[in-house]
Amino acid sequence: MNVEELEGRLTELASEAVAHLAEVADRENAIQVKNRYLGRKGSVQELMAVLRELPHEDRRRAGQASNRCKEAIEEAFRERLDDLARQELEERMVAEALDVTLPGRRSTLSLGHPLRQVERDLIGIFAEMGYEVAEGPEIEEDYYNFEALNFPPDHPARDMQDTFLLTDGRLLRTHTSPVQVRTMHAYEPPIRIISPGRVYRCDSDLTHSPVFHQIEGLLVDRGITLAHLKGTLTTFAERFFGAGTAIRLRPSYFPFTEPSAEVDVECFFCGGDGCRVCSQTGWLEILGAGMVDPNVFEAAGIDPDVYSGFAFGLGVERIAMLKQGINDIRRFFENDLRFLDQF
Ligand code: PHE
């Protein structure tokens, strides 16, 4: 091979390498291709082995031709890397494009489920009067739900509450009153608790749901009388339903209180004049209450000759329905946002 032929071959190699580099799709491949031509055992080096066969006076020319070839390949390599980097950036820009003119997604702030709102308000009123929140299990023992509350076995009053019984003899609590017993077992008087929670009864219609919510109140101390109960509930009614709201106590029966009362509040729709909501009576029945029966104190290990107390219980759904004009209890449990968003 003479020097002209070598020059020709080097030019060919250079354009071959440039064409190759133009086709590679990423950095790694570009480096591989470059090495294939310019590496220590690359095509250019291989070709330059003929240098030894060339006459002395041609070697300088051959060396220059080899340098030109290498430079051309190096340059094509750098350009290709730049192109690849630019291309990658462009792809990322497209992929990560953010249209800042699109309308934002609104996050809605909820005040909570209407039942929770009412529950929170009720608890808040009693908390201000110094009551503490106490909780108990929803799966309850007969002892706490009935027996210790002075419902002896086979007592007809058990039929007042349609109980869901479990196969192991336990039951779904039918009211929050078992928390009274649990609290009196655990703490010495004075006791002042409010106990919100879910309760269960086998009953279902427009105003009854098999699961619903009650709030229980219990106060035990020395010298507590019915007057304290009435005063407390009057304060509650005024805070919750508005200043001047009257209450009245009607004699009633619960096994765990003696005397017992149904507590009515003056209808807050008509102010007591009589309307459709209160069936023209001017009163709405909202609470059960009474003085803790001595038998309940004895079962809980509290001396009824030293202490007395009162208890009351109310249904959260009933109050929420009255207050918010809801006529079907199932609305609370359907999770329909169109309903829930109104509160
Ligand atoms: N536990 C009673 C019920 O569910 C309500 C109540 C509670 C009555 C406390 C008196 C005292 O019907």
Side-chain angles (χ1 to χ4, degrees):
M1 194 187 298
N2 63 29
V3 73
E4 277 88 22
E5 279 169 346
L6 179 61
E7 274 179 335
R9 292 281 296 127
L10 283 167
T11 313
E12 268 171 40
L13 260 189
S15 40
E16 191 187 306
V18 170
H20 238 124
L21 282 168
E23 276 165 22
V24 300
D26 56 46
R27 217 184 131 79
E28 262 84 83
N29 280 318
I31 293 170
Q32 273 174 19
V33 170
K34 186 186 90 159
N35 287 341
R36 213 179 303 147
Y37 290 93
L38 300 184
R40 269 198 312 125
K41 292 179 182 159
S43 319
V44 176
Q45 206 60 31
E46 213 170 85
L47 188 58
M48 291 308 285
V50 302
L51 206 61
R52 274 176 278 122
E53 298 162 19
L54 291 181
H56 255 288
E57 60 273 25
D58 287 341
R59 288 197 184 169
R60 189 180 150 82
R61 191 173 151 191
Q64 285 170 345
S66 150
N67 284 343
R68 275 198 305 279
C69 169
K70 286 179 188 164
E71 269 160 32
I73 296 174
E74 294 273 9
E75 196 186 319
F77 172 69
R78 279 194 304 273
E79 272 174 14
R80 188 65 192 135
L81 286 194
D82 285 352
D83 280 352
L84 286 171
R86 215 172 304 127
Q87 206 175 308
E88 195 189 322
L89 182 66
E90 261 162 40
E91 277 164 17
R92 251 184 59 199
M93 301 271 267
V94 173
E96 294 173 14
L98 191 66
D99 183 351
V100 293
T101 66
L102 281 175
R105 238 175 256 148
R106 229 175 232 284
S107 54
T108 50
L109 191 62
S110 167
L111 293 174
H113 192 282
L115 284 179
R116 286 275 175 247
Q117 289 176 30
V118 170
E119 188 185 79
R120 198 166 52 217
D121 292 349
L122 292 168
I123 291 174
I125 290 169
F126 285 102
E128 274 181 28
M129 293 195 246
Y131 286 71
E132 276 180 65
V133 173
E135 282 176 317
E138 290 172 30
I139 294 177
E140 190 51 285
E141 285 160 38
D142 182 279
Y143 174 77
Y144 291 109
N145 196 83
F146 288 127
E147 206 179 316
L149 286 167
N150 200 31
F151 290 82
D154 303 320
H155 191 286
R158 288 186 179 217
D159 296 340
M160 284 164 68
Q161 307 186 344
D162 304 299
T163 313
F164 286 111
L165 297 170
L166 305 187
T167 47
D168 64 5
R170 291 184 301 167
L171 44 82
L172 298 182
R173 66 177 179 187
T174 57
H175 51 179
T176 41
S177 301
V179 181
Q180 288 185 30
V181 182
R182 287 179 173 276
T183 306
M184 287 191 278
H185 270 290
Y187 301 99
E188 300 279 308
I191 290 169
R192 206 161 8 171
I193 56 144
I194 193 92
S195 180
R198 242 172 289 188
V199 299
Y200 302 83
R201 290 185 201 179
C202 188
D203 197 358
S204 183
D205 60 33
L206 278 186
T207 55
H208 295 86
S209 160
V211 49
F212 61 104
H213 298 75
Q214 284 190 338
I215 291 188
E216 187 85 8
L218 171 71
L219 185 140
V220 182
D221 206 345
R222 291 167 200 263
I224 300 301
T225 69
L226 194 64
H228 294 116
L229 171 60
K230 192 168 183 196
T232 301
L233 295 181
T234 303
T235 304
F236 155 70
E238 294 216 8
R239 292 268 177 87
F240 191 77
F241 297 107
T245 304
I247 65 166
R248 71 175 184 188
L249 274 59
R250 278 181 294 111
S252 183
Y253 173 76
F254 298 104
F256 38 95
T257 47
E258 182 59 35
S260 303
E262 301 278 2
V263 182
D264 299 341
V265 297
E266 206 175 13
C267 178
F268 46 86
F269 284 99
C270 59
D273 294 342
C275 68
R276 232 164 39 102
V277 176
C278 59
S279 311
Q280 310 303 330
T281 63
W283 296 95
L284 296 167
E285 182 196 321
I286 60 153
L287 280 136
M291 302 306 291
V292 179
D293 192 289
N295 287 342
V296 174
F297 277 141
E298 258 155 28
I302 289 177
D303 185 350
D305 291 331
V306 179
Y307 292 105
S308 56
F310 60 75
F312 55 88
L314 55 84
V316 181
E317 279 78 359
R318 175 157 168 79
I319 292 195
M321 288 172 81
L322 286 172
K323 235 193 157 175
Q324 293 159 337
I326 298 160
N327 53 19
D328 184 344
I329 197 167
R330 288 168 303 193
R331 296 276 169 270
F332 291 125
F333 307 112
E334 288 166 343
N335 287 333
D336 183 339
L337 286 178
R338 290 168 302 179
F339 169 74
L340 297 175
D341 277 348
Q342 299 174 48
F343 304 98

